[in-house]
Amino acid sequence: MKGSELNSVKTLIFAFLICFMSTSLRAEVAFSVAAPAPVTSATPSAEDESTPLLSRLKQDAIIQWLRNYLGNRSAAFEKWVTPAFAENYILDYKLSRSGANKEIIQLSGHLDDESLKGWLRISETKGKGSNQIKPVYVISANLSGISLPSSDYFTQTGNSPFTQQVNQLLNQELQKFNLGLSPASGVVPTTPPRSERDIISFRDSCGQGGSNAAIWVYLNQCKTCEFPRIDIYLYSFLNPRLVSVQSDDLNLSIKELGNSDKLKTGLAPIFKEFHQEFERAIAEAKLSSAPLTLTIEGIDSYSGYRKLEYSLGKQSFLSQIIPRAFVQNTAQFEMLSVLSTEEVARRVQESLAAEFKLSPIRVDSRNIVMRYSR
């Protein structure tokens, strides 16, 4: 193998390893907290999970993260940090003693940064409600071989038992997030859109009242069975895209779609599952943010790259940061943000100015290219 080919292979392997390691560790953030040891206490062991001091130090680690991430806003969330809560977000830890007489107990380790951010997004959504997410909803059907009392019988404006049960269950689940729900108006497509172009058209035709999301409940026929099927589509309108699709067979015959009691029994577990899907979308900022790619050229070392990755992870206006590559002094990250790419570029440049000199080279609707210099 020629030298240039060997170097190319080495570069690709190195880039793969960097991408793999960075992606696998991206949720981990190091922490270190300490407290005076009880006068007569031996060092608590990692096996002794009931040690009060150990529990308190884990709480301190989470509260420290909240204060670093939220600043003055952290006080509103600190009351929720119980020992049981903190335990869920500590990934690993070790205990040690320091000080002249070993009188200080130190807890160090890693916590789950992305999961904590997700918890904050859900908490803020429940607190601010419709100020955060304003969904519209559509109900439609495509069932062959049956006659309907009216053309809108199975839609959000119809009066079928199916529509009534969907309205009730959907509102019930969204109220748990302190969110309201409005039926879509205007010209609605006959089937749920999937392409970006069709989603934009859908948004423009029914995104009334500042709506920034949509839920589409689609009743259709199972292709491999005799039952109707429910597909629930979740859309973001901020960056027009299909966020998720949930599909479930409704274990009722078409004739039983007129039976409210059977409908409620069949639909209830489906909408509980949707609640989990909706919560996941909020936690991952899929409804309130748009994806973008940040490319930074001219990074002079791997340590500089890791420092840059760490600094980007601390920015509250960015989320779901995924390092994609570090090759030939160029790093690429994918991320989500509620801000425009122009605003993201400005904030990255300003917020990292103390550590890095970053200059924008090119910014478009989904890509930011910046250059690093000393």
Side-chain angles (χ1 to χ4, degrees):
M1 183 178 289
K2 294 181 179 179
S4 60
E5 293 175 336
L6 180 60
N7 288 336
S8 297
V9 171
K10 287 181 177 179
T11 300
L12 289 172
I13 293 173
F14 179 72
F16 171 79
L17 290 174
I18 295 303
C19 182
F20 175 80
M21 288 188 296
S22 300
T23 302
S24 63
L25 297 177
R26 67 187 176 85
E28 296 185 5
V29 169
F31 70 85
S32 180
V33 291
V39 176
T40 59
S41 171
T43 302
S45 66
E47 290 76 21
D48 186 5
E49 298 293 343
S50 64
T51 303
L53 179 58
L54 178 57
S55 295
R56 198 191 91 201
L57 286 170
K58 289 180 179 180
Q59 286 178 276
D60 289 346
I62 301 300
I63 290 173
Q64 182 186 76
W65 180 90
L66 284 172
R67 290 174 179 175
N68 289 337
Y69 185 65
L70 295 177
N72 294 335
R73 293 200 301 124
S74 69
F77 299 94
E78 290 178 21
K79 62 184 177 181
W80 303 109
V81 184
T82 64
F85 178 93
E87 194 68 45
N88 291 327
Y89 296 96
I90 300 295
L91 297 175
D92 60 75
Y93 66 90
K94 65 178 180 180
L95 288 160
S96 59
R97 280 184 180 266
S98 61
N101 298 310
K102 304 294 184 182
E103 74 277 14
I104 301 298
I105 291 182
Q106 185 174 31
L107 180 74
S108 58
H110 297 86
L111 53 77
D112 192 340
D113 176 71
E114 283 296 338
S115 293
L116 279 167
K117 289 179 180 178
W119 169 73
L120 283 174
R121 294 182 192 111
I122 293 169
S123 299
E124 289 190 311
T125 297
K126 290 179 178 179
K128 296 179 180 179
S130 58
N131 291 328
Q132 294 283 95
I133 302 172
K134 298 180 180 180
V136 295
Y137 74 99
V138 175
I139 304 174
S140 69
N142 181 17
L143 298 172
S144 59
I146 63 170
S147 58
L148 301 177
S150 63
S151 59
D152 67 345
Y153 187 65
F154 281 130
T155 73
Q156 68 274 12
T157 58
N159 61 354
S160 67
F162 176 79
T163 297
Q164 293 169 10
Q165 289 300 320
V166 168
N167 284 340
Q168 179 181 338
L169 292 168
L170 196 52
N171 273 288
Q172 178 179 301
E173 294 305 327
L174 290 187
Q175 283 172 5
K176 296 175 183 177
F177 297 99
N178 197 22
L179 296 177
L181 192 65
S182 302
S185 60
V187 180
V188 176
T190 55
T191 58
R194 283 184 170 269
S195 70
E196 182 178 352
R197 180 179 177 181
D198 290 342
I199 294 170
I200 290 173
S201 177
F202 170 44
R203 177 198 64 183
D204 293 345
S205 67
C206 73
Q208 70 274 9
S211 299
N212 54 20
I215 301 165
W216 190 312
V217 180
Y218 185 49
L219 177 65
N220 56 102
Q221 185 66 51
C222 172
K223 295 180 180 179
T224 59
C225 63
E226 60 188 39
F227 300 117
R229 187 181 70 181
I230 300 291
D231 296 329
I232 305 179
Y233 292 75
L234 179 60
Y235 297 95
S236 169
F237 281 170
L238 287 175
N239 178 59
R241 67 191 188 278
L242 176 59
V243 172
S244 67
V245 182
Q246 174 190 337
S247 296
D248 295 277
D249 291 337
L250 188 59
N251 295 321
L252 299 172
S253 68
I254 291 180
K255 292 181 179 180
E256 291 174 318
L257 292 176
N259 187 314
S260 295
D261 292 336
K262 289 187 177 181
L263 268 172
K264 186 173 183 178
T265 300
L267 289 170
I270 293 174
F271 280 91
K272 285 184 179 178
E273 183 182 346
F274 172 74
H275 174 97
Q276 297 173 350
E277 192 67 43
F278 193 76
E279 184 173 77
R280 187 179 302 112
I282 294 173
E284 296 176 0
K286 290 182 177 180
L287 294 175
S288 57
S289 58
L292 62 92
T293 300
L294 172 63
T295 302
I296 300 178
E297 302 174 348
I299 302 172
D300 54 5
S301 66
Y302 176 63
S303 63
Y305 160 73
R306 291 309 300 262
K307 289 178 182 178
L308 180 63
E309 179 189 350
Y310 176 75
S311 297
L312 287 171
K314 293 174 64 178
Q315 307 310 310
S316 60
F317 57 91
L318 302 175
S319 61
Q320 298 292 306
I321 300 174
I322 304 176
R324 285 304 185 195
F326 177 49
V327 181
Q328 297 180 346
N329 300 329
T330 298
Q332 190 170 79
F333 304 88
E334 291 184 2
M335 58 194 67
L336 297 173
S337 180
V338 297
L339 306 174
S340 67
T341 49
E342 291 83 1
E343 181 65 12
V344 169
R346 185 187 70 79
R347 292 199 186 190
V348 166
Q349 184 180 20
E350 291 181 356
S351 59
L352 275 61
E355 301 173 276
F356 309 96
K357 185 177 180 181
L358 300 174
S359 304
I361 297 175
R362 185 175 67 257
V363 179
D364 61 32
S365 61
R366 291 192 178 181
N367 298 278
I368 301 170
V369 181
M370 308 184 81
R371 177 165 290 280
Y372 166 87
S373 60
R374 290 185 179 275

